[in-house]
């Protein structure tokens, strides 16, 4: 049994259309299914606005899904009717936020930030014991324990993100959603944060859903990758399989954007047109307005995610005909 199982998850945002207009819904996540194994890092990649962050926030209970199932260790906790189960499992999942500047309370010291979690996860421990645990967490993420009494504004962006990682570890989670944890950081700092997360996974067995728009970063840290477009998963495969033998034309374009020294295998693929509005998604395949292989069938019928080889699935009629 997988640690996390997601089945047919849908997330909608209501959009007001005016006094006499019919209420519309923005379909941010559309019928998404996947699983996450214990001790695995699953990558989630796609361009801005495709629903990656919404999916991640839904998995940790920050957003209510419109429909679908989320099971952690076999226990269902999606939806209002399962709030009791969500509260019982809340220590099992944590989130690392994208913005290291906005995710920490500027009025709290680093110890006070960590102690909010430690008071719940280290039951029976007194303040001195919790402070010792907080010092261990800082050391674990590469920071000096003497910094516990400083405030967030006294740290750089990379240091703040390390503090955010320490906070997520304080609850001893089974899995962590890392929502674009390096996109707001300098390139020189990104590699150290990615390597830190990978070290944590190997040493603690914690599972990660690693969300990013940079496929090169996702490829480095993930064992499997999901590719999202306009709220839909359009391809999923093991990392090396996806990079070497991608099948969906959108994935091809993402891979072509990865900086390479050797461009003999092909140049950059530039997609035509803009991403359609999720308020009015196109009929049929969501990618067909920008796809060079689109046919009349693509305009009328939506392809389902279909396994084309062991562990490799794609939602594309053109790919299924190869």
């Amino acid at each position: 049994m997988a640690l996390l199982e997601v089945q047919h998850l849908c997330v909608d945002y209501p959009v007001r259309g005016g006094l006499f207009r019919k209420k519309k819904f923005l379909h941010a996540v559309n019928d998404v299914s996947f699983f996450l194994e214990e001790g695995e890092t699953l990558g989630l990649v796609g361009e801005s606005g495709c629903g990656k962050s919404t999916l991640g926030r839904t998995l940790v209970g920050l957003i209510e899904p419109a429909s679908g199932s989320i099971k952690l260790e076999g226990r269902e906790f999606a939806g209002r009717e399962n709030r009791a189960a969500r509260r019982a499992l809340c220590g099992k999942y944590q989130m690392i936020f994208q913005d290291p500047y906005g995710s920490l309370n500027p009025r709290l010291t680093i110890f006070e930030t960590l102690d909010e979690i430690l008071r719940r996860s280290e039951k029976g421990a007194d303040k001195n014991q919790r402070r010792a645990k907080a010092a261990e967490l800082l050391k674990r993420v590469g920071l000096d324990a003497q910094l516990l009494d400083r405030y967030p504004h006294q740290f750089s962006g990379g240091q703040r993100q390390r503090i955010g990682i320490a906070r997520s570890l304080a609850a001893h989670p089974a899995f962590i959603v890392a929502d674009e944890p390096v996109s707001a950081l300098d390139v020189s700092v990104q590699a150290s944060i990615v390597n830190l997360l990978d070290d944590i996974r190997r040493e603690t067995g914690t599972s990660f859903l690693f969300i990013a728009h940079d496929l090169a970063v996702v490829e480095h840290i993930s064992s499997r990758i999901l590719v999202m477009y306009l709220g839909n998963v359009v391809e999923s495969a093991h990392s090396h399989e996806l990079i070497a033998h991608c099948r969906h034309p959108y994935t091809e374009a993402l891979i072509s954007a990865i900086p390479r020294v050797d461009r003999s295998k092909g140049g950059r693929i530039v997609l035509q047109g803009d991403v359609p509005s999720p308020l009015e998604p196109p009929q049929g395949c969501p990618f067909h307005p920008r796809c060079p292989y689109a046919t009349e069938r693509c305009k009328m019928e939506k392809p389902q995610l279909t396994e084309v080889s062991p562990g490799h699935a794609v939602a594309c009629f053109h790919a299924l005909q190869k």
Side-chain angles (χ1 to χ4, degrees):
M1 181 179 67
L3 173 70
L4 179 72
E5 294 180 278
V6 177
Q7 293 291 331
H8 306 295
L9 190 68
C10 296
V11 182
D12 298 335
Y13 292 121
V15 178
R16 295 186 181 276
L19 185 61
F20 299 106
R21 295 181 182 178
K22 185 178 179 181
K23 182 186 289 187
K24 293 184 178 182
F25 288 90
L26 189 154
H27 304 292
V29 176
N30 188 12
D31 196 24
V32 169
S33 300
F34 64 90
F35 64 92
L36 177 64
E37 298 287 0
E38 185 175 347
E40 178 188 28
T41 296
L42 176 65
L44 180 61
V45 66
E47 58 195 319
S48 297
C50 72
K52 306 185 303 297
S53 294
T54 296
L55 175 58
R57 289 171 178 266
T58 304
L59 295 181
V60 297
L62 296 178
I63 297 174
E64 290 282 359
S67 61
S69 168
I70 306 173
K71 291 183 179 180
L72 179 61
E73 297 179 340
R75 295 182 63 182
E76 178 67 53
F77 70 97
R80 291 183 173 87
E81 67 277 9
N82 292 303
R83 283 181 175 176
R86 188 185 307 165
R87 285 193 296 269
L89 290 168
C90 65
K92 294 281 188 178
Y93 52 83
Q94 291 292 311
M95 188 164 189
I96 301 169
F97 294 92
Q98 176 180 358
D99 182 8
Y101 297 93
S103 61
L104 300 176
N105 190 330
R107 294 172 178 255
L108 299 182
T109 65
I110 303 311
F111 171 66
E112 290 169 338
T113 296
L114 297 176
D115 197 41
E116 285 187 325
I117 310 297
L118 293 173
R119 284 199 300 267
R120 296 173 175 82
S121 63
E122 305 291 327
K123 293 180 179 179
D126 59 29
K127 187 174 182 179
N128 289 333
Q129 291 172 322
R130 297 197 306 271
R131 188 176 179 86
K133 180 63 178 178
E136 289 179 16
L137 287 169
L138 280 194
K139 291 178 182 177
R140 179 66 195 81
V141 298
L143 295 177
D144 195 320
Q146 296 180 354
L147 303 175
L148 277 173
D149 293 318
R150 293 191 180 184
Y151 289 87
H153 73 270
Q154 296 175 283
F155 295 89
S156 68
Q159 289 173 321
R160 293 187 200 192
Q161 196 60 289
R162 289 175 183 270
I163 294 167
I165 295 170
R167 179 177 58 185
S168 71
L169 294 175
H172 311 290
F175 90 94
I176 296 174
V177 174
D179 183 15
E180 302 202 41
V182 298
S183 63
L185 305 178
D186 293 339
V187 175
S188 59
V189 181
Q190 290 182 6
S192 63
I193 297 297
V194 170
N195 291 333
L196 172 62
L197 295 177
D198 202 34
D199 289 342
I200 290 170
R201 178 194 61 80
R202 288 197 303 267
E203 294 171 12
T204 66
T206 304
S207 300
F208 284 88
L209 177 66
F210 188 90
I211 301 172
H213 61 266
D214 187 342
L215 188 53
V217 175
V218 175
E219 175 192 3
H220 175 74
I221 194 174
S222 306
S223 58
R224 290 186 298 121
I225 298 175
L226 304 178
V227 180
M228 281 192 76
Y229 182 81
L230 207 62
N232 301 269
V233 173
V234 296
E235 189 164 12
S236 67
H238 292 282
S239 298
H240 63 275
E241 170 70 13
L242 187 82
I243 300 302
H245 305 291
C246 69
R247 305 289 290 268
H248 199 281
Y250 178 62
T251 311
E252 290 178 356
L254 291 180
I255 292 174
S256 75
I258 299 176
R260 304 284 189 189
V261 175
D262 181 12
R263 280 295 182 187
S264 60
K265 295 183 179 180
R268 174 75 182 271
I269 299 174
V270 180
L271 296 175
Q272 302 300 314
D274 298 322
V275 181
S277 169
L279 276 172
E280 297 178 356
Q283 183 180 358
C285 174
F287 187 64
H288 88 258
R290 306 174 73 192
C291 181
Y293 311 112
T295 64
E296 288 301 316
R297 183 186 182 188
C298 301
K299 298 177 182 179
M300 301 301 296
E301 184 181 346
K302 182 179 179 180
Q304 300 301 309
L305 198 63
T306 305
E307 191 170 61
V308 292
S309 62
H312 192 164
V314 64
C316 176
F317 294 128
H318 174 75
L320 294 175
Q321 292 172 357
K322 290 183 179 180

